[in-house]
Amino acid sequence: MTIPPTRTAKPGPALAAWLWLGLALAPAGGIAAAVPAQTAQASPMAQLADHAITIDFGADRLDVHFIAPGIVRVHFEPGRHAGTPALVLDPAAAPTHFAQVRGTQNADGASLASAAASVHWDRQHRQLRIDDARQRTLLRIDVDALRHGKLKAQHAADDALYGIGGYNATEDASAGMLRSGEQVASAGEQGHAGAPFVWSSAGYGVLLDSDGATFTLQPGTIGTTSPRKDTDVYILLGTPTQLFGALAQLSGHTPLFPKWAMGFTNSQWGIDQKELLQIVDTYRAKHIPIDNITLDFDWKAWGEDDYGEFRWNPTKFPDGPSGALKKQMDARGIKLTGIMKPRIHVDTVEGRYASAHGFWVPGEEVSDDYFSHKPVKNIDFDLPAARAWFGKLAVKYGYDDGIVGWWNDEADTTGSDTEFMNMQRALYDSQRGVSNQRVWSINRNFWLGSQRYAYGLWSGDIPTGFVSMAGQRARMLSAINVGAMQWGMDGGGFKDGTPTPENYTRWIQFGAFTPIFRVHGELGQKRQPWVYGPVAEKAATAAIRLRYALIPYIYSYEHTRRATGVGLVRPLLFDWPDDPNVRNDVDSWLFGDWLLASPVVVQGQTAKDIYLPAGRWTDWFSGKVYEGGRSIRLAIDSKTWSDIPLFVRDGAIIPTRPPEDYVGEQPLTQLDVDVFPAAQRSTFDYYDDDGSSYDYEHGAYFLQPLSAQRRAHAIQLELGAVSGSFKPALRFYLLKVHGAAAASVGQLKAFADLDALQHSGGEGWARGHDRYGDVTWVRVAAARAAHITIAM
């Protein structure tokens, strides 16, 4: 008989304190223990050695140990045979035993505890019990199910579950982020993201080391099956952000994208060199910021012999092969990126080479390419030799001649979860082998582990229209929930015609608050702002310029994602896991730590209800203040579409700069920093580097923490010590401290107003008013530690 699981805190404050120190074990309790049918049979004893619990089942063995304070590995080895790790795990970071644990053993079982969690082998019930640092039982794992190649884990019935998979381009996304029932973990097709990973805002995650898996989620139970005979499971414990930090530790951290990738990308299908130059020059003449033009089929000599899959089309782009076009684009501050396909024309030099070396996907028939109408087959990128060959050709004929990033398309049709990952892996490894310039890519599906290879995801060939646009919110947040932090979409929609001016404008505003900001349309479709009339152009241009003003803020989260596993965008439930109102909220999300974005996705909308989580929120544009923990109604401009619902979180520290026509157009010598001090100390880690190389891997970066705290009659500002060897052009921070009418600012000189302060050429302060009310401007030297008190 199974007792319904519940979560309870256990008695004993002394034991709780010991658990935090890793010196004691949590007593039994929490989720009620199930008494399985096997209790009548003899239960094996556990051995406690080498910081691990080992349970001997004769020919089989179960090994349980910590590999970090919040990560427990549970590995069942039938016949004592350990399988080969799947690509979801980082091959460069083999898990090890974490030694800072305390173990005990007795006739009833054995236990291990770290400072963050404990695991107990319950010999009577043949279960592993996983407790958190507060002595709450989170999971009970049936050991006999492990012996049959399955995972069965009990949890509290009301736990919200996330992860496993997202949505493809045409799939109904109305279920939002929550996951239940049978869920197949796969890379999928057309913008799908997948991982053998399920997690709960209650404080735990379950990662299978397996390429492919099936999850069965029922109230109170997580069940899994996978192709592996040796069941290898990682239990992650902590807050949502801690879970994704642990996931990055296991699956691999992301390299940084180039800084230009923080800006705006216009993908285009159906142009030649002349029209390319016209488009770029129009952007520049109108001062609409843009950094990247991504070219579709047009750039390649697709279908031609002698490496047409990889080289420039000299008819459409006569200056491409010589590198002259690259120089013209460099002069305009534009990067060129190009499409890559996973298939090769069979009757070409490279096709014959692939045939001779067995590089084709096994069992795949020859088919006619829809664009060239010539026979093609797909390369099997799971083969290391095929990756090396393909990547070398792409670098030789594409990268070396001006294509600086990769738009990988259609590698999601072979049925392999790792085909797309390994296609980009081929390009990443090859480019890094010959260049120190950062790799950039977007790809049409995602499998956990792909992020190691400078891997972005876009949501597939989506339709235009408001319904399609609204559905991208759940697609984005669900992809992020499986680790696909670098996400983007075809702004404006790829197919089904031309968006209306209103739809285009709202799509640009939405895209400005996603990790990868781009537009695209099918053959002949244009997605430039001026195509949609003056009203749309004005509103879209304002959104693009706002994105560029926020580049210092956005780029700092490149570092944050690499360091912590959590990127620029995340669901609200990451920061408010106990708020039932946000457990499936896809209408809004956090953009960095300090901004909440809730773009308009409904045609003709005149008012929008927006839920603001607990805390104090300020409208970015109007300065109006709202208390959170409730929904507000915001008036929406349905005529000129000039508004973006955007809110500043209390405690915010947000660096900005004057917008540029492209990233790096002008050196940044003064960084403007909006500060909204709260009673609780807040910190923002401002990050910079050269924006283009991998020198940051060797310490060539600039990192300075900026902190603020409001006290009774003062505001404390702190500039922390700088780390890293990179020396930026930055000389000053202009701190805009909102809600502060200073009487004095330390020993700094007072100026009559902001203009006088700005023209002083040095440090000082002034006070005045802006749309947020009272403000004190403090100009201080950058790259130097400082403590500043604003007395009021």
Side-chain angles (χ1 to χ4, degrees):
M1 177 180 178
T2 301
I3 303 171
T6 57
R7 177 167 296 126
T8 58
K10 299 172 199 159
L15 282 175
W18 286 0
L19 178 62
W20 273 103
L21 296 172
L23 298 175
L25 301 168
I31 297 175
V35 184
Q38 295 90 341
T39 53
Q41 70 186 63
S43 295
M45 292 292 292
Q47 293 182 346
L48 194 63
D50 297 326
H51 316 292
I53 299 172
T54 301
I55 306 171
D56 193 339
F57 293 94
D60 306 331
R61 180 176 64 190
L62 180 66
D63 180 82
V64 183
H65 62 271
F66 282 87
I67 67 168
I71 306 176
V72 177
R73 185 183 184 188
V74 178
H75 190 191
F76 180 77
E77 300 177 2
R80 300 177 182 264
H81 171 73
T84 302
L87 284 178
V88 294
L89 292 187
D90 185 357
T96 58
H97 283 58
F98 180 69
Q100 297 175 18
V101 296
R102 181 75 174 178
T104 61
Q105 182 177 1
N106 54 39
D108 295 328
S111 298
L112 293 173
S114 74
S118 64
V119 55
H120 176 73
W121 159 235
D122 182 341
R123 183 167 177 257
Q124 178 185 357
H125 299 106
R126 300 171 72 85
Q127 291 180 334
L128 293 172
R129 189 182 76 238
I130 311 292
D131 297 345
D132 69 6
R134 290 186 287 170
Q135 304 183 74
R136 299 181 309 157
T137 294
L138 299 179
L139 295 170
R140 290 183 179 273
I141 297 173
D142 184 340
V143 168
D144 290 299
L146 293 174
R147 296 188 65 192
H148 290 89
K150 300 179 180 180
L151 173 70
K152 183 179 180 181
Q154 287 184 289
H155 59 85
D158 61 348
D159 289 351
L161 297 176
Y162 306 93
I164 305 173
Y167 300 97
N168 69 30
T170 58
E171 202 172 353
D172 178 13
S174 59
M177 296 180 290
L178 288 169
R179 296 293 174 261
S180 61
E182 184 172 296
Q183 301 279 331
V184 177
S186 71
E189 300 181 41
Q190 282 284 1
H192 186 273
F197 176 59
V198 64
W199 62 277
S200 175
S201 51
Y204 58 84
V206 177
L207 172 67
L208 298 186
D209 179 11
S210 175
D211 283 329
T214 298
F215 289 75
T216 302
L217 309 180
Q218 298 174 339
T221 305
I222 296 170
T224 74
T225 59
S226 78
R228 286 190 63 161
K229 294 181 179 179
D230 63 317
T231 306
D232 202 359
V233 183
Y234 294 85
I235 308 299
L236 286 53
L237 300 147
T239 64
T241 54
Q242 289 169 336
L243 295 181
F244 279 86
L247 190 67
Q249 179 179 340
L250 293 168
S251 189
H253 291 269
T254 61
L256 301 189
F257 267 6
K259 191 184 287 188
W260 61 257
M262 309 302 104
F264 181 50
T265 288
N266 186 163
S267 292
Q268 192 64 59
W269 184 7
I271 61 172
D272 57 15
Q273 180 172 315
K274 180 180 179 181
E275 188 170 5
L276 168 65
L277 290 168
Q278 289 173 344
I279 290 171
V280 170
D281 289 343
T282 304
Y283 272 111
R284 292 291 175 252
K286 290 176 174 288
H287 296 289
I288 302 174
I290 187 171
D291 270 84
N292 175 19
I293 299 288
T294 300
L295 300 172
D296 209 305
F297 273 113
D298 313 290
W299 84 271
K300 294 197 291 188
W302 185 252
E304 295 184 14
D305 203 352
D306 297 326
Y307 310 103
E309 280 82 358
F310 301 95
R311 63 176 170 83
W312 281 97
N313 182 329
T315 302
K316 286 191 171 184
F317 295 89
D319 291 335
S322 68
L325 180 59
K326 179 183 184 303
K327 292 179 181 178
Q328 295 176 62
M329 292 296 103
D330 287 346
R332 292 164 167 82
I334 289 289
K335 309 297 182 186
L336 290 177
T337 56
I339 200 165
M340 294 298 294
K341 302 289 184 177
R343 58 186 179 273
I344 298 291
H345 288 82
V346 175
D347 190 22
T348 58
V349 169
E350 55 274 28
R352 290 185 287 274
Y353 187 95
S355 294
H357 291 80
F359 287 166
W360 304 119
V361 168
E364 186 179 68
E365 298 294 329
V366 175
S367 62
D368 283 344
D369 177 63
Y370 66 85
F371 194 71
S372 69
H373 305 293
K374 296 178 181 180
V376 292
K377 290 184 72 175
N378 283 294
I379 298 297
D380 182 2
F381 291 103
D382 291 343
L383 297 175
R387 289 198 300 273
W389 168 76
F390 185 92
K392 182 178 180 181
L393 291 178
V395 167
K396 179 179 180 179
Y397 293 103
Y399 180 75
D400 287 350
D401 289 335
I403 296 297
V404 301
W406 313 103
W407 169 22
N408 300 319
D409 193 16
E410 299 174 353
D412 50 357
T413 62
T414 66
S416 166
D417 286 329
T418 53
E419 174 81 351
F420 233 131
M421 175 198 295
N422 278 327
M423 180 179 178
Q424 172 53 21
R425 184 182 181 186
L427 299 170
Y428 177 81
D429 289 345
S430 294
Q431 183 177 323
R432 290 218 62 175
V434 300
S435 173
N436 191 35
Q437 297 302 295
R438 293 183 202 169
V439 185
W440 177 87
S441 77
I442 55 171
N443 308 267
R444 207 172 67 176
N445 76 5
F446 175 89
W447 184 242
L448 185 64
S450 301
Q451 74 278 358
R452 300 189 294 265
Y453 308 113
Y455 195 101
L457 168 70
W458 99 92
S459 62
D461 298 344
I462 56 176
T464 192
F466 278 93
V467 172
S468 175
M469 179 175 65
Q472 300 308 304
R473 300 169 301 168
R475 285 168 171 80
M476 175 177 70
L477 298 178
S478 294
I480 286 167
N481 282 347
V482 297
M485 298 289 169
Q486 290 161 297
W487 182 95
M489 59 185 166
D490 287 351
F494 173 73
K495 59 184 182 179
D496 296 347
T498 305
T500 66
E502 181 187 5
N503 184 220
Y504 175 84
T505 301
R506 293 306 191 187
W507 219 315
I508 288 288
Q509 293 168 342
F510 179 173
F513 290 92
T514 63
I516 299 173
F517 181 21
R518 59 185 288 271
V519 292
H520 186 47
E522 61 187 336
L523 182 63
Q525 281 285 314
K526 300 297 190 295
R527 294 287 183 263
Q528 294 80 42
W530 56 87
V531 171
Y532 296 89
V535 176
E537 180 183 342
K538 181 179 179 181
T541 298
I544 297 171
R545 287 177 179 161
L546 175 56
R547 169 78 175 209
Y548 275 73
L550 288 166
I551 292 291
Y553 178 77
I554 293 167
Y555 191 60
S556 292
Y557 284 98
E558 279 293 294
H559 160 73
T560 301
R561 186 191 66 246
R562 175 171 169 78
T564 70
V566 178
L568 175 66
V569 167
R570 61 181 183 263
L572 299 180
L573 68 97
F574 271 48
D575 287 54
W576 292 271
D578 299 323
D579 185 344
N581 294 298
V582 302
R583 66 189 293 164
N584 204 24
D585 184 356
V586 301
D587 190 56
S588 305
W589 53 86
L590 284 179
F591 191 72
D593 291 311
W594 302 114
L595 292 171
L596 182 150
S598 187
V600 176
V601 295
V602 177
Q603 183 176 5
Q605 192 168 22
T606 58
K608 182 175 183 180
D609 293 326
I610 300 170
Y611 179 77
L612 298 176
R616 189 171 183 263
W617 299 89
T618 301
D619 187 300
W620 173 272
F621 295 98
S622 72
K624 185 176 180 179
V625 175
Y626 300 90
E627 290 300 323
R630 63 186 181 91
S631 291
I632 64 166
R633 170 151 287 201
L634 195 70
I636 300 299
D637 176 7
S638 63
K639 301 299 183 183
T640 64
W641 323 307
S642 61
D643 49 356
I644 307 172
L646 183 66
F647 300 89
V648 181
R649 188 177 181 180
D650 205 24
I653 300 172
I654 303 173
T656 62
R657 63 158 301 148
E660 308 173 276
D661 284 350
Y662 59 91
V663 171
E665 181 185 17
Q666 300 292 335
L668 180 63
T669 57
Q670 176 177 289
L671 185 69
D672 294 350
V673 184
D674 286 284
V675 182
F676 296 80
Q680 184 175 357
R681 187 173 186 264
S682 57
T683 299
F684 179 85
D685 289 334
Y686 173 64
Y687 177 87
D688 198 12
D689 58 26
D690 65 21
S692 60
S693 80
Y694 288 100
D695 290 350
Y696 67 85
E697 294 179 342
H698 309 289
Y701 60 84
F702 175 90
L703 183 66
Q704 186 168 27
L706 311 176
S707 301
Q709 185 173 15
R710 180 182 295 276
R711 300 188 184 277
H713 300 290
I715 293 171
Q716 298 292 333
L717 305 175
E718 182 179 348
L719 279 60
V722 171
S723 58
S725 61
F726 179 71
K727 306 298 182 185
L730 184 66
R731 294 183 58 218
F732 293 102
Y733 295 115
L734 179 66
L735 306 173
K736 305 176 183 180
V737 187
H738 300 290
S744 64
V745 180
Q747 301 301 312
L748 294 178
K749 180 181 178 181
F751 289 85
D753 53 30
L754 178 60
D755 285 342
L757 172 61
Q758 291 279 54
H759 286 93
S760 70
E763 295 185 319
W765 68 276
R767 67 185 182 191
H769 293 81
D770 63 9
R771 67 181 182 271
Y772 302 114
D774 290 333
V775 59
T776 295
W777 297 283
V778 181
R779 195 168 192 252
V780 293
R784 189 178 68 192
H787 293 266
I788 303 164
T789 299
I790 298 177
M792 296 183 293

